[in-house]
Amino acid sequence: MNHYENKLLNNMPDSIFSVMSKLALKHDAVNLGQGFPDFDGPLWLMEEAFAAMKSGKNQYAPSPGILSLRRAVCDYHKKFYDLDWNPDDNVTITAGATEAIYSTIKAFVSPGDEVIMFEPFYDAHQLDTILCGGIPKYVTLSKPDFSFDFNELEALVSDKTKLLIINSPHNPTGKVYSLEELEFIAKLAIKHDFLVMSDEVYEFITFDDARHIPIATVPCMADRTITISSAGKTFSMTGWKIGFTIASKTLTESIRKIHQWTVFAVNTPAQHAVATAFGRLDDYLPDFQAMYLKKRDLINDLLIKTDFKPHKPAGSYFLMADIPANKYQDDMDCAMKLVENNKLAIIPPSVFYGKSEEGKTILRFCFAKNDETIKKGIENLMNLV
Ligand code: GLN
């Protein structure tokens, strides 16, 4: 190691999403791996962005984000969740949820602090914790329903616990946390005085009778929760990178310091377009939700006919399926063989576990894809060599 190297970067892997997307290109494989839609969001939204550009909204936005977008975020959190936030003190617009995650962790986690997260975790939750010198502690969401053991969670809490991270609806399992689970987490957070970062980017993608409950709505939690979401998933524009944090005034002040000295401000015309879009959720959501319900059922029904048994998700646009026993060494072996031999890229989820071996027995499929892509992908899977 050279003296100028940062040892926090030792053993830091490349993102599995980039790795698998690269392999998909190399092998000309159907990509049900990286989580992004292979279709565009609505044309009217693109037109809003172009209109903003044409009317001169092309210079730096204020560092916390344009007021109309911060207000639109507050308005929809009032309307859907009955939460009272104000644009001046509580909302910060970030470069996607990814920057929101980093700015939040950096703002509150100092070297040696412990951060509790549920595995399989979203990779950035773990790696940003490590980048900030924090120590991840894992609670396992176990098959078949991806529930967790309340005692296992409670036993992890220590006087070094600074932050607990949840992601609901959950990537990669499709779990939607129940009120009982959220209340238990809240009870611990209040008793032991730690913060909760709640990554809710799939908030509008829930199925059947599953209901997304922001943990900030649990009594006494609004002041100790940092809620993160983005426009990328809701409007199928992941490349626009418009996300946000919502938190109390004091917590927001800290997050804005990190945001100011890293990203400073986010793409101005896209902020204007997204401000309009959040104002149209009532009209927009019914078709959007019906589309994902159809896709969830399509991939689930197709997978049932294969040797890869699906765990039907309650939310998000991901689905976990069991790898047939004794056919492959583990998920990585299976993923490599599928992309090379079957021209199907999926995500091997063992990289999302820090403790349990369960990830080696499952694969993550993304169904934010055209129906034809989904059908072709599963057809490739069935032509097992
Ligand atoms: N959220 C996406 C996924 O889970 C990936 C985002 C990324 O590639 N950084 O696949």
Side-chain angles (χ1 to χ4, degrees):
M1 195 174 125
N2 295 312
H3 68 280
Y4 49 78
E5 275 175 345
N6 178 345
K7 66 178 188 308
L8 289 175
L9 302 184
N10 276 354
N11 306 321
M12 192 152 276
D14 286 339
S15 142
I16 191 72
F17 309 120
S18 313
V19 171
M20 292 313 297
S21 283
K22 240 195 236 164
L23 284 173
L25 277 176
K26 180 172 164 202
H27 295 285
D28 194 25
V30 176
N31 193 351
L32 301 184
Q34 192 173 22
F36 65 90
D38 68 348
F39 45 86
D40 276 333
L43 185 62
W44 57 260
L45 183 48
M46 297 182 215
E47 283 166 353
E48 288 291 335
F50 192 36
M53 288 180 197
K54 284 191 292 186
S55 66
K57 308 281 195 314
N58 297 302
Q59 308 307 329
Y60 294 128
S63 179
I66 62 167
L67 180 61
S68 59
L69 176 54
R70 284 181 282 130
R71 190 176 288 133
V73 168
C74 295
D75 289 349
Y76 97 73
H77 276 252
K78 176 71 189 163
K79 183 175 206 169
F80 287 84
Y81 309 126
D82 199 23
L83 284 165
D84 288 298
W85 299 112
N86 81 71
D88 292 331
D89 299 332
N90 304 126
V91 180
T92 308
I93 306 302
T94 55
T98 303
E99 190 239 320
I101 292 165
Y102 178 77
S103 292
T104 298
I105 295 176
K106 186 71 185 164
F108 303 113
V109 175
S110 306
D113 287 344
E114 293 179 356
V115 178
I116 298 177
M117 59 191 76
F118 295 87
E119 63 174 16
F121 44 75
Y122 181 56
D123 57 359
H125 296 162
Q126 181 212 36
L127 291 165
D128 288 354
T129 298
I130 294 171
L131 262 183
C132 295
I135 302 165
K137 297 278 168 185
Y138 308 107
V139 191
T140 308
L141 301 173
S142 303
K143 290 196 299 186
D145 58 354
F146 301 105
S147 57
F148 63 91
D149 179 344
F150 283 17
N151 296 325
E152 182 189 342
L153 169 58
E154 188 155 19
L156 282 185
V157 179
S158 81
D159 54 5
K160 294 201 185 114
T161 307
K162 200 64 172 295
L163 182 68
L164 177 147
I165 300 177
I166 63 167
N167 167 217
S168 184
H170 185 245
N171 172 10
T173 66
K175 170 193 176 70
V176 177
Y177 283 67
S178 68
L179 182 60
E180 188 199 1
E181 290 172 327
L182 298 174
E183 284 176 344
F184 184 75
I185 293 167
K187 199 179 84 187
L188 291 179
I190 293 159
K191 178 166 167 209
H192 299 279
D193 192 19
F194 56 79
L195 299 173
V196 172
M197 181 179 93
S198 184
D199 177 346
E200 304 180 2
V201 295
Y202 304 99
E203 61 188 318
F204 293 116
I205 311 180
T206 54
F207 309 113
D208 311 321
D209 48 11
R211 199 166 57 92
H212 167 61
I213 307 168
I215 193 165
T217 61
V218 175
C220 305
M221 283 305 288
D223 278 350
R224 61 174 67 247
T225 300
I226 302 96
T227 303
I228 291 175
S229 193
S230 88
K233 276 73 181 178
T234 302
F235 296 103
S236 307
M237 298 290 203
T238 59
W240 281 26
K241 303 294 290 176
I242 303 288
F244 58 84
T245 60
I246 308 181
S248 72
K249 185 172 194 290
T250 327
L251 298 181
T252 294
E253 279 165 7
S254 301
I255 293 167
R256 284 183 182 175
K257 284 183 189 158
I258 307 299
H259 170 72
Q260 175 161 188
W261 299 114
T262 49
V263 170
F264 183 71
V266 174
N267 185 310
T268 308
Q271 288 196 55
H272 282 276
V274 170
T276 308
F278 278 136
R280 292 193 193 168
L281 281 168
D282 280 342
D283 290 342
Y284 172 78
L285 285 176
D287 286 351
F288 172 78
Q289 288 166 332
M291 170 187 78
Y292 274 119
L293 178 62
K294 254 183 73 196
K295 292 188 188 301
R296 193 274 312 251
D297 288 345
L298 175 67
I299 193 165
N300 192 72
D301 293 350
L302 288 171
L303 275 167
I304 285 172
K305 297 182 197 141
T306 73
D307 294 340
F308 294 78
K309 294 301 169 226
H311 297 272
K312 202 175 188 178
S316 85
Y317 48 51
F318 301 108
L319 172 151
M320 294 285 233
D322 287 331
I323 298 171
N326 307 325
K327 250 195 174 140
Y328 303 93
Q329 269 167 22
D330 55 24
D331 62 323
M332 203 58 87
D333 176 49
C334 183
M336 292 306 153
K337 289 189 171 135
L338 290 183
V339 73
E340 284 170 24
N341 303 336
N342 292 80
K343 299 203 174 302
L344 172 64
I346 40 74
I347 298 292
S350 54
V351 293
F352 307 140
Y353 290 79
K355 189 165 81 172
S356 156
E357 297 286 300
E358 206 166 82
K360 294 185 175 172
T361 67
I362 37 187
L363 298 177
R364 187 193 85 170
F365 292 75
C366 172
F367 55 89
K369 308 291 172 189
N370 279 301
D371 291 359
E372 292 318 308
T373 319
I374 296 174
K375 285 183 201 153
K376 182 78 182 86
I378 306 304
E379 194 183 301
N380 288 3
L381 184 71
M382 287 171 110
N383 298 329
L384 281 183
V385 284

